């Protein structure tokens, strides 16, 4: 009998008898593993990657820990297939269980993040190759002579590789094969990257950097769990310091994971790694082609890949023998995932190090308040790098009071900043203008009737993107062509853009400096990641005079000719109710101004603000980060906010406002009475409508030692059941309050 096409291995029919059962975790939102029978002759163990029937489908799963004794195998469906793949280690399975328990996520959805490349579960096919066996061709030509000379060392070659090395066409090689001078063999598939050599380039560290490297090496050599925080100003050599920890780990024969918030954009990091170790690390991020993702996953689990540099999802790669995790820019909000399984990769990296009993290194010029407190309490060892590497000096920072130095009518750049840009361009150096707002303008309205363009599916304004001639929603992606007439009153040519985006700043810059070469950097630039990498490379080579960018420019880039940074609206991040607003504004502005003067040139930073006396502004221009952190930590402690308290967010969404509000109120009424834990809300979320769904929010607040997870489990068990369009979303340790 033939099987359905979805049954890849014909295991649903004529299955051999089974005498035992095992739990299998499938990538579904189920609360626990399902039980399956193991056919006679099939060998599985905890961690084995298998295929099992689930309803009418075949799905990937992992044999999990725990027994299924007492269940009759004859009453269970059998495992269909065991993949020829190393099993997930006990360490990895414990990590998946821990993340699921902490985030209150179904363990299957957490395991899914480790199993998202099913084509990698079987060994890669062997590659056809050639080996020289001796003899002379019937007719010798210069091209054939070059091939024989190249292959005479006895090594095996691929057809194309041999042709390329000898500088001939593949037809020349084929002719020699047909005469029996080469034999066909099969080679193992090539590694995705060459093995890094820890001794390829000697360390050039000196002074404070050398001392910091010695401190890190002492932790790595112990080979046990410890967390170190490298707290160094921008350009202080933090990367070179942790490269020494990477080298030591490689010498011990272990693998390394380096987490970066925007690995797809940091080509300069890959080049610096190659300069130090003679080979690039394997990359892991969402823009990686599927075939390359499969190779990296497979070679990480077999140990052929020794170093992976990746985005937050790389934390769930099942390494064979992981011995070190580096979390670069540990403060960056990009480490927080807010989809399906909500987790902070920085915190989960520390957990993975503890479970695997190996060191973790956190790195930042502006560490998070949580990491600062952990350093002060002794949980983390803190290593300070207060000065820049070599002869480079930090930029001189000044506030521009916009109440005294107002821009010209219709503009957003103060005369002070415009003059500074002009002087910088005259000196053949680069200026960076930072505004964390994409598009041309955040709001478009009709000057006649006051109509405002709002997204039909979200409670947010449509942002004009003049380059694309579109109005776009930055929440759901809705877009529409920019109209010529107001859709409300029909008046032509009376639509006005309110406020600036990077495109509008670029327009103003071109008015002031028509001869300057200007580049706009934004995540919605046409051409995607590839185009952004090219633009960043062009800036680094000095092929632009003025760069206008969003927070992408704060991601650790090194621009040698950058001597002026202008913050167009330094107050922007302070204008919301986020308890982390001051911290994030301080971090972002410090990182952006740190792009200037990294190669020793005299540099400046100008921050346009209407609040020059604000503690964040004063901390940045004074360079007194410790005073800012001291004040911020004291305020958090007084309010019992993280890390001195605990928060959990509950978002209830539904297709109607009534359903969302009623369900949220039902959950609030079901909350158990527990000392030290309170529930705030429900209240309409700041973004009350997203993708056509109405949203209400509850916030659970507890003390540091509160059992938030236990409280939430009790609340969920007593709450009304989700029915119809209602969906409940949990976020432990929320980073966003929208």
């Amino acid at each position: 009998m033939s099987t359905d096409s979805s049954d890849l291995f014909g295991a649903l029919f004529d299955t051999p008898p089974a005498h035992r059962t095992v739990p299998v975790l499938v990538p579904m939102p189920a609360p626990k593993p399902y039980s399956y029978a193991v056919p006679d002759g099939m060998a599985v163990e905890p961690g084995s990657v298998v295929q099992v029937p689930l309803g009418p489908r075949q799905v990937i799963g992992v044999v999990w820990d725990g027994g299924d004794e007492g269940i009759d195998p004859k009453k269970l469906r059998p495992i269909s297939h065991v993949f020829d793949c190393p099993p997930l280690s006990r360490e990895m399975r414990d990590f998946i269980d821990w993340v699921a328990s902490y985030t209150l996520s179904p363990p299957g959805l957490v395991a899914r993040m480790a199993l998202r490349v099913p084509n990698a579960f079987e060994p890669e096919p062997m590659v056809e190759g050639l080996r020289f066996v001796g003899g002379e061709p019937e007719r010798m030509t210069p091209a054939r002579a070059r091939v024989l000379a190249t292959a005479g060392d006895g090594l095996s070659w691929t057809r194309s590789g041999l042709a390329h090395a000898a500088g001939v066409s593949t037809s020349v090689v084929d002719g020699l094969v047909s005469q029996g001078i080469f034999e066909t063999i099969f080679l193992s598939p090539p590694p995705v990257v060459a093995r890094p050599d820890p001794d390829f380039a000697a360390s050039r560290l000196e002074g404070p950097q050398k001392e910091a490297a010695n401190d890190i090496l002492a932790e790595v050599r112990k080979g046990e769990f410890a967390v170190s925080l490298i707290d160094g100003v921008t350009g202080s050599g933090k990367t070179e310091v942790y490269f020494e920890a990477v080298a030591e780990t490689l010498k011990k024969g272990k693998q390394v994971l380096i987490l970066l918030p925007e690995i797809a954009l940091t080509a300069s990091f890959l080049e610096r790694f190659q300069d130090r170790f003679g080979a690039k690390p394997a990359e892991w991020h969402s823009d990686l082609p599927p075939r390359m993702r499969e190779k990296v996953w497979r070679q990480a689990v077999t140990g052929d890949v020794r170093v992976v540099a990746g985005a937050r999802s790389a934390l769930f790669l099942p390494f064979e023998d992981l011995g070190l995790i580096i979390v670069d820019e540990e403060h960056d909000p990009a480490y927080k995932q807010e989809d399906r399984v909500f987790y902070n990769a920085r915190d989960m990296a520390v957990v993975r190090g503890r479970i695997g009993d190996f060191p973790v290194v956190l790195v930042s010029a502006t560490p998070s308040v949580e990491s600062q407190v952990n350093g002060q309490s002794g949980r983390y060892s803190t290593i300070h790098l207060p000065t820049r590497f070599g002869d480079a000096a930090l930029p001189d920072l000044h506030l521009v009071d916009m109440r005294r130095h107002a821009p010209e009518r219709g503009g957003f750049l103060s005369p002070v900043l415009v003059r500074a840009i002009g002087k910088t361009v005259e000196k053949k150096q680069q200026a960076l203008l930072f505004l964390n707002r994409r598009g041309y303008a955040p709001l478009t309205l009709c000057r006649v009737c006051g109509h405002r363009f709002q997204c039909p599916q979200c409670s947010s304004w449509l942002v004009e993107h003049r380059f694309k001639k579109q109005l776009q929603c930055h929440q759901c992606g809705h877009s529409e062509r920019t109209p010529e007439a107001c859709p409300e009153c029909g008046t032509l040519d009376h639509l006005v853009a309110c406020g600036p985006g990077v495109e509008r700043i670029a327009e103003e810059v071109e008015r002031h400096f028509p001869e300057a070469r200007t580049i706009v950097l934004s995540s919605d630039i046409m051409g995607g990641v590839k185009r952004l990498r090219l633009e960043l490379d062009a800036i680094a080579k000095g092929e632009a005079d003025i760069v206008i960018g969003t927070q992408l420019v704060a991601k650790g880039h090194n621009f040698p000719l950058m001597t002026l940074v202008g913050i167009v609206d330094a107050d922007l991040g302070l204008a919301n109710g986020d308890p982390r607003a001051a911290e994030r504004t301080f971090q972002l502005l410090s990182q952006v101004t740190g792009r200037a003067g990294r190669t020793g040139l005299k540099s400046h930073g100008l921050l346009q603000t209407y609040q020059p006396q604000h503690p964040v502004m004063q901390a940045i221009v004074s360079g007194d980060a410790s005073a800012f952190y001291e004040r911020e930590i004291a305020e958090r402690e007084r309010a019992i906010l993280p890390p001195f308290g605990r928060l959990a967010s509950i978002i209830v969404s539904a297709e109607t406002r009534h359903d969302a509000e009623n369900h949220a109120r039902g959950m609030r009424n079901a909350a158990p009475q527990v000392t030290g834990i309170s529930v705030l809300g429900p209240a309409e979320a700041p973004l009350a409508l997203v993708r056509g769904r109405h949203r209400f929010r509850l916030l659970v607040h507890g003390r540091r030692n509160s059992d938030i997870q236990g409280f939430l489990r009790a609340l969920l068990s007593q709450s009304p059941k989700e029915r119809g369009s209602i969906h409940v979303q949990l976020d432990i340790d929320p980073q966003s309050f929208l």
Side-chain angles (χ1 to χ4, degrees):
M1 181 185 294
S2 63
T3 66
D4 187 271
S5 60
S6 65
D7 179 3
L8 300 179
F9 300 94
L12 290 179
F13 302 90
D14 303 321
T15 306
H19 295 290
R20 71 184 181 105
T21 64
V22 292
V24 175
L25 192 61
V26 295
M28 305 287 288
K32 60 181 182 179
Y34 294 131
S35 296
Y36 283 90
V38 182
D40 281 356
M42 178 181 286
V44 297
E45 60 180 293
S48 293
V49 182
V50 297
Q51 179 177 271
V52 294
L54 187 67
R57 299 178 298 140
Q58 292 284 321
V59 300
I60 304 299
V62 185
V63 176
W64 217 242
D65 301 283
D68 275 341
E69 292 84 2
I71 304 176
D72 186 355
K74 296 177 182 177
K75 296 180 180 179
L76 298 176
R77 302 177 78 179
I79 294 173
S80 309
H81 178 72
V82 182
F83 290 97
D84 186 4
C85 169
L88 300 192
S89 66
R90 179 58 187 261
E91 171 191 319
M92 189 66 191
R93 301 195 304 277
D94 287 348
F95 178 61
I96 290 171
D97 279 336
W98 198 97
V99 173
S101 176
Y102 186 83
T103 62
L104 298 181
S105 303
L109 290 186
V110 181
R112 181 175 179 268
M113 295 191 289
L115 301 172
R116 299 188 71 171
V117 282
N119 290 337
F121 300 154
E122 295 286 7
E124 292 182 66
M126 301 290 279
V127 177
E128 188 176 299
L130 301 173
R131 184 166 56 205
F132 179 60
V133 294
E136 291 284 337
E138 297 171 358
R139 182 172 61 87
M140 182 66 75
T141 64
R144 287 178 170 178
R146 289 201 299 275
V147 172
L148 295 178
T150 303
D153 56 8
L155 297 177
S156 301
W157 294 82
T158 62
R159 210 178 234 90
S160 59
L162 179 57
H164 179 75
V168 302
S169 67
T170 54
S171 61
V172 176
V173 177
D174 290 338
L176 294 172
V177 172
S178 66
Q179 295 183 41
I181 292 172
F182 288 92
E183 67 174 352
T184 300
I185 59 172
F186 288 93
L187 307 171
S188 299
V192 291
V193 288
R195 286 211 166 201
D197 178 2
D199 298 317
F200 180 79
S203 167
R204 296 182 294 105
L205 300 178
E206 54 189 35
Q209 290 77 20
K210 185 69 173 178
E211 293 175 15
N214 289 337
D215 290 342
I216 289 291
L217 288 173
E219 297 290 354
V220 172
R221 285 169 181 151
K222 290 177 186 175
E224 57 191 37
F225 173 66
V227 183
S228 301
L229 171 64
I230 302 179
D231 175 5
V233 297
T234 54
S236 59
K238 297 184 295 296
T239 303
E240 284 71 20
V241 167
Y242 74 65
F243 276 174
E244 296 310 298
V246 172
E248 184 65 24
T249 305
L250 292 173
K251 289 176 183 177
K252 296 173 68 175
K254 292 185 174 292
Q255 294 168 290
V256 178
L257 170 61
I258 303 174
L259 293 179
L260 297 156
E262 294 286 351
I263 177 63
L265 301 179
T266 48
S268 60
F269 169 82
L270 302 177
E271 291 167 3
R272 289 169 72 182
F273 188 95
Q274 185 171 23
D275 290 343
R276 172 64 179 83
F277 295 100
K280 290 184 178 181
E283 295 180 56
W284 183 268
H285 51 80
S286 58
D287 289 292
L288 210 61
R291 185 74 184 116
M292 182 57 69
R293 286 175 68 86
E294 295 162 11
K295 286 177 172 287
V296 173
W297 192 97
R298 179 81 192 186
Q299 295 183 19
V301 77
T302 59
D304 293 322
V305 160
R306 307 309 296 170
V307 181
V308 173
R312 60 178 182 246
S313 59
L315 194 59
F316 291 89
L317 283 171
F319 291 90
E320 180 197 44
D321 190 13
L322 188 58
L324 175 69
I325 297 179
I326 309 284
V327 185
D328 206 346
E329 308 290 1
E330 64 89 26
H331 67 277
D332 200 291
Y335 285 125
K336 177 72 178 189
Q337 173 161 301
E338 296 177 332
D339 179 42
R340 288 179 176 258
V341 178
F342 286 57
Y343 69 93
N344 189 314
R346 176 199 65 209
D347 299 339
M348 296 305 108
V350 172
V351 171
R352 186 155 188 194
R354 179 172 60 78
I355 291 174
D357 197 25
F358 57 75
V360 177
V361 178
L362 310 181
V363 186
S364 179
T366 53
S368 63
V369 168
E370 287 85 351
S371 294
Q372 287 278 18
V373 171
N374 281 329
Q376 293 174 6
S377 67
R379 292 187 187 90
Y380 299 170
S381 60
T382 304
I383 299 166
H384 293 284
L385 289 171
T387 59
R388 282 190 160 180
F389 185 67
D391 299 324
L394 289 166
D396 294 329
L397 302 179
H398 303 279
L399 298 177
V400 179
D401 189 340
M402 297 296 278
R403 299 168 299 182
R404 297 175 54 200
H405 304 283
E408 64 182 32
R409 185 176 177 83
F412 300 92
L413 303 179
S414 69
V416 176
L417 182 53
V418 171
R419 285 195 298 271
I421 296 170
K423 291 178 181 178
T424 302
V425 173
E426 283 177 15
K427 291 188 291 187
K428 307 296 184 185
Q429 295 171 357
Q430 292 174 324
L432 167 65
L433 298 181
F434 170 78
L435 176 63
N436 201 20
R437 191 178 268 160
R438 294 179 283 155
Y440 183 84
L443 171 64
T444 301
L445 56 79
C446 174
R447 195 182 281 117
V448 175
C449 71
H451 172 75
R452 299 183 178 192
F453 287 83
Q454 185 171 345
C455 176
Q457 303 180 88
C458 303
S459 52
S460 60
W461 307 120
L462 292 179
V463 178
E464 181 183 359
H465 287 253
R466 194 158 289 189
F467 293 171
K468 299 178 181 178
K469 298 180 180 179
Q470 287 183 341
L471 297 172
Q472 293 184 356
C473 174
H474 289 172
Q475 302 302 322
C476 70
H478 167 84
S479 65
E480 54 191 63
R481 191 161 185 80
T482 306
E484 296 180 1
C486 172
E488 189 75 22
C489 67
T491 307
L492 283 166
D493 299 327
H494 274 70
L495 300 181
V496 60
C498 300
V502 286
E503 294 176 13
R504 193 168 193 175
I505 298 302
E507 188 177 87
E508 185 175 350
V509 165
E510 291 200 12
R511 280 202 312 272
H512 289 293
F513 309 100
E515 303 299 321
R517 299 168 297 174
T518 303
I519 284 181
V520 176
L521 286 181
S522 176
S523 59
D524 49 20
I525 189 172
M526 288 184 285
V529 168
K530 186 175 181 181
R531 167 82 180 276
L532 280 169
R533 277 188 167 182
L534 291 173
E535 299 281 35
L536 289 166
D537 189 49
I539 296 167
K541 292 177 180 177
E543 296 172 5
D545 301 312
I546 303 172
V547 181
I548 302 156
T550 61
Q551 62 180 347
L552 286 175
V553 299
K555 304 289 187 180
H557 309 298
N558 187 21
F559 304 133
L561 294 177
M562 191 75 67
T563 59
L564 173 67
V565 171
I567 309 298
V568 176
D569 186 354
D571 306 324
L572 184 60
L574 299 172
N576 60 49
D578 188 336
R580 291 187 176 88
E583 175 192 6
R584 286 193 175 148
T585 301
F586 173 79
Q587 290 167 338
L588 186 57
L589 299 186
S590 298
Q591 293 282 342
V592 173
T593 53
R595 297 312 103 205
R598 295 169 72 92
T599 54
L601 296 172
K602 181 69 174 175
S603 60
H604 304 273
L606 296 176
L607 289 77
Q608 297 190 156
T609 175
Y610 288 93
Q611 306 177 67
Q613 297 307 313
H614 194 287
V616 170
M617 303 305 156
Q618 291 299 313
I620 291 172
V621 296
S622 68
D624 192 357
S626 59
F628 169 77
Y629 279 113
E630 185 178 333
R631 175 183 170 277
E632 192 70 14
I633 289 169
E635 288 193 3
R636 296 272 188 97
E637 188 169 19
R638 192 160 43 246
I640 319 178
L641 288 172
F644 304 100
R646 300 199 60 198
L647 294 175
S649 172
I650 304 174
I651 294 288
V652 180
S653 64
E655 291 176 359
T656 68
R657 187 181 187 280
H658 177 269
D659 286 348
E661 182 175 14
N662 276 359
H663 193 86
R665 291 192 182 283
M667 293 190 72
R668 174 68 182 85
N669 294 334
Q673 298 299 313
V674 176
T675 302
I677 297 180
S678 57
V679 180
L680 309 177
E684 204 165 37
L687 283 174
L689 183 69
V690 175
R691 294 182 175 86
R693 295 183 64 82
H694 297 264
R695 306 166 77 241
F696 274 78
R697 196 162 160 274
L698 298 126
L699 190 65
V700 179
H701 178 229
R703 296 189 175 275
R704 183 168 190 160
N705 59 354
S706 299
D707 182 9
I708 289 282
Q709 281 83 357
F711 176 86
L712 288 170
R713 289 188 184 97
L715 186 153
L716 291 173
S717 67
Q718 298 168 27
S719 293
K721 301 302 179 187
E722 296 177 40
R723 290 188 173 86
S725 67
I726 293 171
H727 177 65
V728 176
Q729 180 179 283
L730 296 180
D731 184 1
I732 308 292
D733 306 328
Q735 296 289 310
S736 170
F737 292 84
L738 296 178

